[in-house]
Amino acid sequence: MTERALQHIQSLPSWLTGRVAARGRELLAHALAGEGLRLSHYAVLAAVAEHGPTAQAELVRRLEIDRKDVVGLLNDLQARHLVQRRPDPADGRKNAVSVTDEGRATLQRCAALAEQANQQLLAPLSATERELLITLLARLQRADQPGDQCQ
């Protein structure tokens, strides 16, 4: 077995999915760079657009990223006029973050770029294979979440 140890490692699903994920992140990062954004900016902008106006603390919980990182990302997005922070009407000690019209337009462009990057990633697969892969990956991802059942 030792003479084929590397071959064994490189055949493991965990290795293969990690390599494919790294390539996907690389393609997406390159696509989003055209908008001057990183994937983390895109995720925060999408969360604010979908759930805003929302408190920064809620973004931390929803995205499962560090509070300091969210603050920095929001600072970047606000400097580009993609989001705005205003006092939360329910609690004036907190800020509510909302997406701007410019942020919505940027989000639409980013979504199109993300689709193009994923089309490039999945280009070697047929449409049926793509659908099956996405279904299986979603099932594996859900299996890792407490309370969810795989079917």
Side-chain angles (χ1 to χ4, degrees):
M1 178 67 162
T2 57
E3 66 273 359
R4 295 182 183 251
L6 181 58
Q7 183 180 3
H8 172 72
I9 290 169
Q10 292 175 336
S11 71
L12 294 171
S14 53
W15 173 276
L16 293 168
T17 54
R19 299 305 306 151
V20 172
R23 177 69 177 135
R25 282 189 301 273
E26 177 185 302
L27 289 168
L28 187 51
H30 181 73
L32 294 175
E35 285 291 323
L37 298 175
R38 297 188 316 267
L39 180 54
S40 51
H41 288 117
Y42 179 39
V44 170
L45 186 59
V48 171
E50 188 170 325
H51 301 287
T54 188
Q56 290 177 192
E58 180 59 27
L59 289 172
V60 168
R61 283 189 293 280
R62 199 171 290 283
L63 296 171
E64 298 179 357
I65 56 179
D66 188 84
R67 182 174 57 88
K68 289 176 275 188
D69 292 338
V70 168
V71 170
L73 293 165
L74 286 172
N75 288 344
D76 294 344
L77 294 170
Q78 187 169 359
R80 295 194 50 203
H81 308 287
L82 303 179
V83 299
Q84 60 186 358
R85 295 179 194 146
R86 294 198 172 137
D88 188 333
D91 185 349
R93 299 169 296 168
K94 297 178 182 179
N95 282 324
V97 184
S98 57
V99 69
T100 64
D101 289 341
E102 190 172 340
R104 278 191 246 314
T106 298
L107 189 57
Q108 286 182 332
R109 289 191 304 275
C110 287
L113 292 168
E115 285 299 321
Q116 290 170 4
N118 278 279
Q119 290 297 323
Q120 185 177 351
L121 176 70
L122 300 177
L125 303 177
S126 70
T128 301
E129 290 169 328
R130 290 175 189 197
E131 187 176 317
L132 178 59
L133 176 63
I134 292 166
T135 298
L136 294 173
L137 289 172
R139 186 185 306 171
L140 288 171
Q141 194 271 332
R142 284 192 312 270
D144 194 36
Q145 297 177 351
D148 285 349
Q149 296 180 355
C150 293
Q151 298 182 20

